[in-house]
Amino acid sequence: ANHPQIDDSKLVVMGHSEGAILVPWVLRQANQVLEQQQKQPIKGCIFLSGIGEDIYTAMALQRERVLEEVQDEPGLQGWVLRKAVTKQKLDKQYNDLMEKIFDDPKTKDMDAIPMYCGMVKLNAKWFRTHKEYKAQEDLVHVTCDCLAITGQKDIQVRASLCEQSETFLKKAKSVEHHEPENLTHLLRSTTDKNPKLIHLKQDYPKMGKQPLDSELMRWIEDWCQRKII
């Protein structure tokens, strides 16, 4: 905000995915600093690919979606997946992970937990921090103009929650939301009629090479022109 080319009376904070969960906290911290400096508060807030949902709820929904996709997957690949990916296995994997992070005396105080014979380190502190943070409690205290955009082809969060943005942002000066038909979690559009989590690792690298969705950029620009500038 102290940069000579930045108008500190027209600041906007924006968060994408996990950032959309944490952006109310960032907003609150930034406004405290600005108040101490006797400057105007943040003028706008943008939520991209998610709002009103915490990490643990998102992970639970993703597990459910994976199971549904596995059941619908055709051919030999579907048969193999149904043998390998079951609700019992996914639940056990998740519960074992949570036990290591929160309950196991050997690991519950470790910030990073060695996994797979020490080849990988799990960021346990990240999980614990998200468990403590109550995003919806911070959303209630957001008072600036807000824009929320989540695509209907987003397979990691629910576009239906974006439609309920006003419910979460009860004290916001204004709330505008959009749920573009073909927008994905990566903020790129897709022609895939039924994108799947089980194909995510092969789909996302290709999608990441595409430019950001032009319709998304127009909505953000238009909102900034009307609400901020």
Side-chain angles (χ1 to χ4, degrees):
N2 293 323
H3 194 283
Q5 294 184 348
I6 292 178
D7 184 345
D8 60 18
S9 68
K10 298 178 181 178
L11 297 178
V12 175
V13 293
M14 179 170 64
H16 168 253
S17 190
E18 181 186 357
I21 296 173
L22 299 176
V23 74
W25 180 86
V26 174
L27 180 67
R28 175 162 52 86
Q29 299 295 319
N31 279 336
Q32 288 176 0
V33 173
L34 290 170
E35 184 178 6
Q36 292 171 0
Q37 298 175 348
Q38 297 183 330
K39 294 182 177 180
Q40 295 184 38
I42 300 294
K43 195 169 183 180
C45 190
I46 301 176
F47 301 82
L48 300 177
S49 298
I51 185 171
E53 198 159 44
D54 60 65
I55 288 291
Y56 288 87
T57 303
M59 288 194 300
L61 289 166
Q62 288 171 20
R63 290 197 302 276
E64 292 177 9
R65 184 173 187 128
V66 165
L67 290 171
E68 292 173 0
E69 292 175 359
V70 166
Q71 291 301 314
D72 294 337
E73 188 71 3
L76 178 61
Q77 181 175 345
W79 182 84
V80 172
L81 283 172
R82 284 187 285 278
K83 294 294 183 181
V85 182
T86 66
K87 186 178 189 306
Q88 291 75 15
K89 289 180 180 179
L90 286 182
D91 287 347
K92 184 179 186 304
Q93 184 182 48
Y94 176 78
N95 291 333
D96 288 348
L97 180 65
M98 293 300 105
E99 183 178 359
K100 279 183 174 292
I101 293 171
F102 294 102
D103 301 319
D104 191 329
K106 296 180 181 179
T107 55
K108 67 178 184 178
D109 296 319
M110 298 175 65
D111 288 345
I113 300 174
M115 305 284 286
Y116 307 110
C117 300
M119 296 178 64
V120 176
K121 287 190 176 181
L122 174 75
N123 189 347
K125 185 176 181 180
W126 180 86
F127 280 94
R128 297 186 193 111
T129 302
H130 270 287
K131 193 72 171 179
E132 295 172 359
Y133 179 58
K134 308 299 180 185
Q136 290 194 15
E137 293 180 7
D138 266 350
L139 285 170
V140 173
H141 301 292
V142 174
T143 57
C144 59
D145 290 299
C146 294
L147 172 66
I149 303 176
T150 299
Q152 294 182 36
K153 294 291 178 65
D154 193 321
I155 56 177
Q156 294 185 240
V157 295
R158 292 177 289 177
S160 59
L161 289 182
C162 188
E163 298 173 1
Q164 304 171 35
S165 297
E166 293 94 339
T167 304
F168 303 122
L169 299 162
K170 296 178 180 179
K171 296 182 181 179
K173 184 177 180 182
S174 70
V175 179
E176 183 175 326
H177 62 85
H178 300 280
E179 299 78 35
E181 182 179 0
N182 295 313
L183 189 68
T184 67
H185 195 74
L186 291 191
L187 306 181
R188 275 80 172 173
S189 61
T190 181
T191 56
D192 191 340
K193 294 182 179 180
N194 187 30
K196 297 182 178 181
L197 276 172
I198 57 175
H199 299 158
L200 180 147
K201 287 186 177 180
Q202 64 193 53
D203 291 344
Y204 274 15
K206 299 175 185 177
M207 201 176 293
K209 296 177 182 179
Q210 301 173 11
L212 292 172
D213 182 69
S214 59
E215 187 178 33
L216 167 76
M217 301 303 291
R218 284 196 300 272
W219 269 325
I220 294 175
E221 182 180 2
D222 174 69
W223 179 83
C224 287
Q225 290 287 346
R226 288 185 287 106
K227 301 293 185 179
I228 308 302
I229 299 175

